Amino acid sequence: MKLLPKNILAIDDSLTLRKFIEKSLGNEDFVNRLLIAGDAATGLELARTTTPDLILCDYTLPDMQGDELCQRLLEQGETSQIPIILMSSSGREIAALAAQRSNIVRMLVKPFSRELLVATVSYVLNQSEQKKVVAQTASTAGAILMRGTTDVSPMCSALRFIARQKMTGVLRVVARKDTLHAFCQEGSVRVVTTRNVESYLEGTAYLSNGRKSLIWRKCEELQRQTLCPFLLNLSQEGILPFQTARMLSDLFGHRLFARIWTEPAGVHYEFEEVSMPPFIEDCLPPRPLMNDWILENLRNVEASDDIQMIVEDPMGVPVFTPTGYRQIQEVQPKPDEWQVLSEITGAISLNGICQRIKITPDLVARKIFCFQRLGFLDYWPSHILQAQN
């Protein structure tokens, strides 16, 4: 996991070592601000007022021993969780302290190389960040209100249940080794996102494998840590207009969730009752009806074996399900979709519809697929019709 820039406090009475730390860490991407203190009293005050993400502390200071300093930091509420890397010229001197002070997470024996310093600091910051994510997840965890698989209960049914119950929380769906998060508010889907930024941006101009600016990396890391969509983060940084960011975030979310309809095996899902994250306020207003959201999502399916099967059976016949014609009145089909739907009588084949409205089989099949997945249409294969005749 790439790190967002962090604040680091270094406490050491040696001017030489302080300059070495500044030179070694000053240009690292994971360092936002490097604070320097020459004695324990100054270090304690900086730790209390700035709450750094990590402290580098010398064991022998002119006004206090390192173990006492670590104990004081541990006893103060605002500094008790800050990890400390203890430095000393004697490894034996500090070896036993880690077991006695829970905030001492690593030790460095002087002299140490720049490479060892950078690697140790990076590792500790990564470990600390992972613990924060776990703790945050645990603190916000709510009740699991629903759990299932599309092999047993179709995704349409799960989404409609969320709408009927006006549920607020997050629908997690595991698809293609990726976990999708659909945040729902009072029964409406607000946005779909994932911690996998590469998967989220796949196929778009925003996916860059080349050199990235600090702001670009920051926006990617924010999505990994908070699930806030990358483009909304760009907007917060002034890189992208707000309206553009929220519209594209909605589109990218639809493209992401649309993958579940083409999974060869059933996908697993669960709904957890959680409060909405702050970035929800920046998302587009919700669609009032869940079926409209599902229909819009199905329009984003790029390819499907089910679509291809319809295309390859042009003499098959689309028909409304027993409740399909009534349900079709409750959604908002586009004009070209209405054009296809109006030709469905239960007696006209795919080929006949294409000839009547002069649209290619692929486009007609896509529209049939969408309403078939909604449960409004069936498609009777030609070999079944021939057998009946």
Side-chain angles (χ1 to χ4, degrees):
M1 180 175 69
K2 294 181 180 178
L3 281 169
L4 284 173
K6 305 296 183 184
N7 297 329
I8 298 173
L9 169 62
I11 309 172
D12 198 292
D13 61 325
S14 168
L15 178 60
T16 301
L17 188 60
R18 294 201 302 267
K19 287 186 176 297
F20 173 76
I21 292 173
E22 284 186 280
K23 186 176 180 180
S24 299
L25 299 179
N27 294 321
E28 291 297 322
D29 291 342
F30 57 77
V31 178
N32 175 53
R33 185 182 179 194
L34 186 59
L35 304 165
I36 301 294
D39 55 58
T42 304
L44 280 170
E45 180 62 19
L46 283 173
R48 185 184 64 80
T49 57
T50 66
T51 317
D53 299 287
L54 172 66
I55 296 175
L56 287 162
C57 181
D58 186 24
Y59 177 71
T60 305
L61 294 166
D63 53 342
M64 191 182 300
Q65 287 291 90
D67 58 342
E68 183 182 350
L69 176 58
C70 292
Q71 182 62 34
R72 290 198 184 187
L73 290 168
L74 195 59
E75 292 171 350
Q76 296 179 7
E78 63 268 33
T79 60
S80 61
Q81 300 300 315
I82 302 174
I84 298 173
I85 299 175
L86 197 60
M87 305 176 292
S88 175
S89 56
S90 172
R92 183 182 303 175
E93 193 175 38
I94 60 175
L97 286 177
Q100 300 172 12
R101 308 283 189 272
S102 60
N103 52 351
I104 301 175
V105 296
R106 279 291 182 277
M107 294 170 288
L108 284 173
V109 179
K110 304 174 188 178
F112 44 81
S113 66
R114 174 191 177 279
E115 289 75 18
L116 179 59
L117 174 64
V118 171
T120 304
V121 169
S122 176
Y123 175 80
V124 171
L125 288 174
N126 267 297
Q127 292 295 105
S128 178
E129 193 62 51
Q130 290 179 22
K131 288 180 181 179
K132 287 180 182 178
V133 170
V134 171
Q136 184 180 25
T137 301
S139 66
T140 58
I144 301 297
L145 303 182
M146 176 179 63
R147 182 176 283 132
T149 173
T150 53
D151 284 335
V152 177
S153 179
M155 185 55 65
C156 278
S157 299
L159 290 167
R160 287 169 183 149
F161 180 77
I162 292 170
R164 286 197 303 272
Q165 300 299 317
K166 296 188 179 299
M167 293 159 65
T168 294
V170 59
L171 175 67
R172 299 190 188 93
V173 184
V174 180
R176 301 186 189 180
K177 299 182 180 179
D178 189 11
T179 301
L180 314 183
H181 297 72
F183 285 97
C184 303
Q185 189 173 35
E186 296 183 356
S188 298
V189 179
R190 296 301 308 274
V191 71
V192 180
T193 181
T194 175
R195 298 189 193 279
N196 188 337
V197 182
E198 289 72 22
S199 174
Y200 182 76
L201 299 176
E202 182 180 348
T204 75
Y206 293 93
L207 183 62
S208 173
N209 295 319
R211 186 173 177 81
K212 301 174 183 178
S213 68
L214 285 175
I215 290 179
W216 198 273
R217 290 200 298 270
K218 175 183 177 181
C219 292
E220 288 185 339
E221 190 58 28
L222 276 172
Q223 178 167 337
R224 292 188 182 96
Q225 292 185 14
T226 69
L227 288 168
C228 180
F230 172 75
L231 298 175
L232 289 181
N233 295 327
L234 281 184
S235 175
Q236 290 293 326
E237 295 292 335
I239 305 298
L240 198 65
F242 173 66
Q243 290 299 333
T244 301
R246 69 197 311 226
M247 290 178 65
L248 287 177
S249 295
D250 184 68
L251 173 61
F252 285 15
H254 269 297
R255 290 175 51 158
L256 191 67
F257 200 84
R259 298 173 187 173
I260 69 166
W261 308 106
T262 58
E263 284 293 298
V267 299
H268 295 272
Y269 59 83
E270 69 175 20
F271 189 95
E272 183 179 6
E273 187 179 34
V274 298
S275 57
M276 290 293 95
F279 62 79
I280 289 298
E281 296 302 318
D282 292 334
C283 297
L284 287 177
R287 290 177 179 268
L289 299 178
M290 180 61 80
N291 277 337
D292 278 328
W293 188 90
I294 297 172
L295 177 56
E296 180 61 31
N297 191 246
L298 285 165
R299 291 170 180 145
N300 285 271
V301 174
E302 295 181 355
S304 166
D305 289 342
D306 292 334
I307 296 175
Q308 191 58 31
M309 287 174 61
I310 295 173
V311 174
E312 293 175 354
D313 188 15
M315 300 311 295
V317 176
V319 297
F320 282 103
T321 61
T323 60
Y325 187 77
R326 174 183 58 79
Q327 290 174 307
I328 221 82
Q329 314 303 319
E330 300 171 1
V331 295
Q332 297 178 352
K334 293 182 178 180
D336 58 341
E337 292 169 337
W338 270 123
Q339 191 177 20
V340 172
L341 293 170
S342 63
E343 297 292 336
I344 296 176
T345 65
I348 304 176
S349 67
L350 171 69
N351 191 45
I353 293 174
C354 293
Q355 291 177 356
R356 289 169 67 97
I357 61 179
K358 303 186 186 309
I359 297 180
T360 64
D362 178 68
L363 291 177
V364 175
R366 285 178 176 276
K367 293 166 177 42
I368 291 173
F369 164 80
C370 290
F371 291 97
Q372 186 181 38
R373 285 303 178 92
L374 275 167
F376 299 172
L377 294 179
D378 281 332
Y379 193 75
W380 291 349
S382 58
H383 66 85
I384 293 179
L385 297 172
Q386 292 169 358
Q388 290 177 343
N389 293 333

